[in-house]
Amino acid sequence: MPPKPVTLSGVHFMNGDEAVAEGAIAAGCTFFAAYPITPQSEIAERMARRLPQIGGMFIQMEDELAAMAAVVGAAWGGVKAMTATSGPGFSLMMENLGLAIMTETPCVLANVQRGAPSTGLPTLVGQGDMMQARWGSHGHYEIIALAPASPQEAFDLTVKAFALSERFRVPVLVMTDEVVGHMYERVEIPEEVPIAPRRKPQVPPEEFLPYKPDEDLVPPMACAGEGYRIHVTGLTHDERGYPAMDAEAHDRLVRRLVEKILRYREEYTFWEEVGLEDAEVAIVSYGISARVAHGAMELARKKGLKVGLLRLITCWPFPDEIVRKVAEKVAGLVVVEINLGQIAREVERVACGRAPVVGVYHAGGRIHTPEEVLSGIEEVLKDAG
Amino acid sequence: MPGKPKEKAAPEFVPARHPMEKYLRTERLPHIWCAGCGLGTALSCFLFALDELGWDLDSVAVVSGIGCAGRVAGYVRLDSYHTTHGRALPFATGLKLAKPDLHVVVFSGDGDLFAIGGNHFIHAARRNIDMTVICVNNFNYGMTGGQLGPTTPLEARCTTAPYGNFEPPFNLVYLAASAGATYVARWTTLHARRLQHAMVEALSRKGFTFVEVISPCPTNYGRRNRLGEGLDEMRYYAEHAVIRHGADPKEADIVPGKDFLIGKFVDMEKLTYLEMYRAKVAQLKGKR
Ligand code: SF4
């Protein structure tokens, strides 16, 4: 067993990046591999300082391909492992993120989003990697992605991310952004953070089938050196973990990987509703944009407009039911995000004509102003007649 | 040689079982490798080496990348990881650092380790991560049909070098030695006993140790370059491989038709990544 890390507790003043690092340590993360990138650096720097103090392992790899690969390897070594990056590194990590999905490796990846495409705006905010979080690695899969709107939430959701990654044996993404990452706020760290257990085989090695799932579709995990001598491959495999090169085996495996996540939405779907009870317009937003949207909502209320806010905390799998219920009772929806309409596509899909959807978009480099959001609200009210 | 009738006398005795069967996932046999391929020999040598070392097999993990050599991980009855193309080394780095008492062995091919994975190789060697890398070098990409690789000699034919290769190849011995490997040896699949011995040495040394295995790929590289069958390549190795221990790695270039060096080039001690890390942690604790 890795040593129980010494965690901070009590009230601290820290930024969102540092809160991600502390959340990871509180959750029992003892391995962190990364490559330097703005605006993620504070996470890696904090981990480089903290992990050696608590018997953990920090390594700065040669690139993000290697960082993600090392995280997957470390998880098979039996520890809780994490990496953090921003857009360009996120692109490189997609390869081994796919390996983690296919081999059902629990791990956590934080993406501190910045302006993109390409090198884009290294020091300025963006939310343009949301679809990449969903579909960035090749093939069809489901992944869990959480979007914090504050340093406190960066801490809390990183803790949750570790628990969910163990529960479902899937990589979990913490989709934060440059503003949350660099914003200093009060972060309250509880005395005791429960460490999520790894599901272990219940049978002796001779009887163990490494990819035979339990009833909930998640198989127990035998790590290296535990005597199970299993084979793990990114190829399509059967319950023994051996390559199975046919369409039926592939369909069976990919469907299970998807189903094991989708069947348990209520376990990981988090959201916040503000003022939706009497709302005629609902703003749908997430991460830092949701905080601006909150300000815009108050502005609108002062003007006598009935506006509420649905803040998505879990962005993937997309919370269809939650958004549908809101879409059913309002006259219009306003989506606020720092890209040109990614989550908005999902909102439109789910709203499915029940209410008009207006996007308030910005390509990146700054957060919205409440006034911009307000004009979106006025526009949708016009659309709704 | 092409045109010449092939003598193919059936072997008198075909053992029903591989002597190292206890280390193999026999339920996965027959393997996918071609007749005359050197990969079986390289794997056998590795298993004999493990047997000689007598380690607790629960403490050994094999990590492979992608390609014909990458399939080794699928045949050994050990904790074995068949990862992504080129990423066996960073995966193995994570595995080793997370579980330092594991013996981590990376078994992969020249394209996987030195083209797509080349950057990881030099950094794993530079850091001196305690692991053994066995590279089966057959001078091309076998799995995908015989494309040009980072070790393909000048003028050799590959499907993606149809007029002859004009890219200078890597000398892997020199590369590994310059990047910081603490043990560097090269043998061919003809030199099975010496190869086994080199593997024993590499596995038992601490630090980043490297064994290059020159190996025939009769299906692709051999056929396209008219080298004959696997056996003909063995003859070629017998004629051209020159054993010279302690030779200058710089001189270990491989040029078709010319003699090439094999043997042990580097064997030294150096603090490993984990030793350095632990020393740093101890220093940190002392300061407090
Ligand atoms: S293609 Fe070449 S390397 Fe691959 S199994 Fe056949 S002979 Fe061996």
Side-chain angles (χ1 to χ4, degrees):
Chain A
M1 278 307 284
K4 168 98 173 66
V6 187
T7 57
L8 294 181
S9 61
V11 176
H12 297 265
F13 188 59
M14 60 174 76
N15 69 25
D17 277 358
E18 292 163 345
V20 165
E22 287 304 330
I25 287 168
C29 172
T30 54
F31 183 91
F32 184 92
Y35 185 79
I37 191 167
T38 304
Q40 153 270 34
S41 299
E42 292 87 343
I43 304 180
E45 287 163 3
R46 183 109 175 176
M47 288 306 244
R49 204 164 54 239
R50 293 281 279 124
L51 283 173
Q53 299 171 347
I54 60 162
M57 181 63 65
F58 167 90
I59 185 167
Q60 182 170 312
M61 296 299 286
E62 53 274 18
D63 56 32
E64 288 91 347
L65 296 161
M68 190 66 210
V71 161
V72 180
W76 281 99
V79 303
K80 288 193 178 20
M82 180 186 186
T83 186
T85 190
S86 187
F90 197 50
S91 292
L92 292 189
M93 287 183 182
M94 287 300 137
E95 178 194 55
N96 292 299
L97 186 74
L99 179 68
I101 289 160
M102 195 60 153
T103 56
E104 302 183 63
T105 308
C107 54
V108 174
L109 192 177
N111 177 2
V112 191
Q113 295 175 85
R114 64 191 220 187
S118 190
T119 314
L121 298 168
T123 61
L124 300 172
V125 69
Q127 289 182 317
D129 306 348
M130 295 309 293
M131 274 295 168
Q132 189 181 19
R134 174 66 190 87
W135 295 113
S137 197
H138 49 286
H140 199 113
Y141 58 88
E142 287 293 337
I143 197 162
I144 300 172
L146 311 173
S150 66
Q152 178 68 57
E153 214 171 45
F155 177 92
D156 296 339
L157 293 183
T158 304
V159 171
K160 277 213 169 80
F162 276 95
L164 293 170
S165 78
E166 297 290 349
R167 161 69 182 89
F168 294 104
R169 279 188 65 181
V170 74
V172 176
L173 307 176
V174 179
M175 296 296 289
T176 169
D177 61 71
E178 184 275 327
V179 173
V180 170
H182 286 159
M183 157 198 287
Y184 278 82
E185 278 183 345
R186 181 182 194 275
V187 175
E188 203 176 323
I189 302 181
E191 273 317 312
E192 193 70 46
V193 175
I195 306 289
R198 187 156 291 179
R199 195 182 301 199
K200 287 287 152 202
Q202 300 298 318
V203 294
E206 324 69 87
E207 289 165 37
F208 182 60
L209 293 170
Y211 285 95
K212 183 174 188 295
D214 286 347
E215 231 162 75
D216 65 356
L217 305 180
V218 181
M221 183 171 177
C223 293
E226 292 178 353
Y228 285 83
R229 296 193 207 160
I230 64 163
H231 182 56
V232 174
T233 177
L235 284 169
T236 296
H237 44 270
D238 58 21
E239 292 190 339
R240 297 172 301 172
Y242 294 169
M245 301 290 100
D246 61 81
E248 287 71 35
H250 188 68
D251 192 67
R252 204 177 315 128
L253 176 61
V254 175
R255 276 182 199 276
R256 178 174 68 74
L257 295 182
V258 164
E259 215 15 60
K260 74 170 179 180
I261 308 292
L262 290 185
R263 195 186 278 181
Y264 299 98
R265 283 172 178 273
E266 70 282 2
E267 286 188 42
Y268 53 75
T269 303
F270 311 115
W271 74 98
E272 187 191 9
E273 296 183 9
V274 192
L276 280 177
E277 306 75 29
D278 64 340
E280 280 165 19
V281 172
I283 310 174
V284 182
S285 192
Y286 54 93
I288 191 63
S289 299
R291 289 180 71 157
V292 178
H294 195 279
M297 181 193 84
E298 283 169 355
L299 219 60
R301 288 259 169 195
K302 269 188 207 135
K303 288 183 130 192
L305 304 173
K306 288 186 174 155
V307 177
L309 170 68
L310 172 63
R311 180 166 75 89
L312 306 181
I313 298 172
T314 302
C315 289
W316 304 117
F318 193 73
D320 287 21
E321 274 313 302
I322 312 303
V323 175
R324 185 174 299 125
K325 273 190 206 136
V326 172
E328 270 164 5
K329 62 181 196 192
V330 294
L333 294 152
V334 176
V335 182
V336 184
E337 53 185 338
I338 309 175
N339 59 55
L340 302 186
Q342 295 190 8
I343 289 296
R345 283 172 180 258
E346 294 296 300
V347 175
E348 267 170 7
R349 174 180 64 78
V350 172
C352 199
R354 288 179 180 94
V357 178
V358 165
V360 180
Y361 306 140
H362 192 280
R366 65 168 175 84
I367 55 174
H368 291 83
T369 60
E371 291 71 25
E372 285 170 318
V373 181
L374 192 62
S375 60
I377 294 167
E378 281 159 355
E379 190 185 329
V380 85
L381 278 171
K382 227 181 290 155
D383 283 6
Chain B
M1 295 293 112
K4 197 171 127 197
K6 308 251 156 56
E7 296 158 42
K8 267 198 181 162
E12 275 166 30
F13 170 68
V14 181
R17 304 178 149 239
H18 191 282
M20 291 294 115
E21 199 180 87
K22 59 181 168 182
Y23 301 123
L24 289 169
R25 297 186 189 277
T26 43
E27 65 275 27
R28 291 216 56 219
L29 300 176
H31 55 67
I32 62 158
W33 298 320
C34 310
C37 177
L39 279 162
T41 310
L43 173 57
S44 267
C45 290
F46 172 62
L47 300 181
F48 277 104
L50 271 187
D51 201 57
E52 197 180 321
L53 286 163
W55 285 342
D56 170 9
L57 294 181
D58 290 343
S59 73
V60 185
V62 172
V63 183
S64 288
I66 299 295
C68 293
R71 293 304 183 96
V72 161
Y75 297 128
V76 291
R77 193 176 291 289
L78 299 166
D79 282 319
S80 52
Y81 302 92
H82 182 225
T83 64
T84 37
H85 197 18
R87 317 298 168 221
L89 280 166
F91 181 102
T93 298
L95 187 63
K96 176 71 187 178
L97 300 186
K99 203 163 174 74
D101 48 351
L102 271 187
H103 296 284
V104 176
V105 184
V106 170
F107 210 123
S108 220
D110 47 287
D112 184 78
L113 286 167
F114 291 97
I116 189 164
N119 194 32
H120 309 310
F121 184 90
I122 57 175
H123 289 282
R126 169 181 68 80
R127 294 188 184 106
N128 200 23
I129 307 280
D130 187 13
M131 60 170 70
T132 295
V133 179
I134 298 169
C135 173
V136 178
N137 179 4
N138 58 22
F139 308 103
N140 78 150
Y141 289 87
M143 177 72 84
T144 43
Q147 292 82 3
L148 171 78
T151 58
T152 306
L154 280 171
E155 292 308 331
R157 305 252 162 185
C158 293
T159 55
T160 49
Y163 311 116
N165 171 34
F166 51 87
E167 284 187 15
F170 273 142
N171 164 353
L172 299 185
V173 163
Y174 185 29
L175 178 60
S178 342
T182 57
Y183 179 96
V184 180
R186 172 198 280 161
W187 294 96
T188 80
T189 50
L190 174 71
H191 302 83
R193 288 291 161 258
R194 283 153 157 137
L195 175 57
Q196 177 188 330
H197 180 69
M199 286 178 178
V200 168
E201 283 193 338
L203 289 164
S204 42
R205 299 284 190 277
K206 70 182 171 87
F208 187 87
T209 60
F210 178 68
V211 180
E212 179 184 8
V213 186
I214 303 295
S215 168
C217 169
T219 301
N220 283 306
Y221 187 76
R223 184 166 59 86
R224 223 156 265 121
N225 291 286
R226 304 192 185 286
L227 304 176
E229 307 238 333
L231 193 58
D232 301 309
E233 292 206 44
M234 293 293 161
R235 284 198 192 98
Y236 179 87
Y237 299 158
E239 283 161 19
H240 292 282
V242 177
I243 302 174
R244 202 191 299 152
H245 296 298
D248 184 348
K250 260 187 224 158
E251 280 155 25
D253 281 327
I254 297 178
V255 181
K258 294 203 175 142
D259 288 356
F260 63 96
L261 296 181
I262 57 172
K264 180 161 76 178
F265 297 85
V266 177
D267 191 355
M268 61 167 170
E269 276 222 23
K270 203 162 67 170
L271 289 176
T272 67
Y273 180 91
L274 270 169
E275 285 169 335
M276 307 271 278
Y277 191 83
R278 283 178 186 141
K280 192 49 78 185
V281 171
Q283 203 180 57
L284 186 75
K285 290 212 171 109
K287 267 192 202 149
R288 270 203 218 142

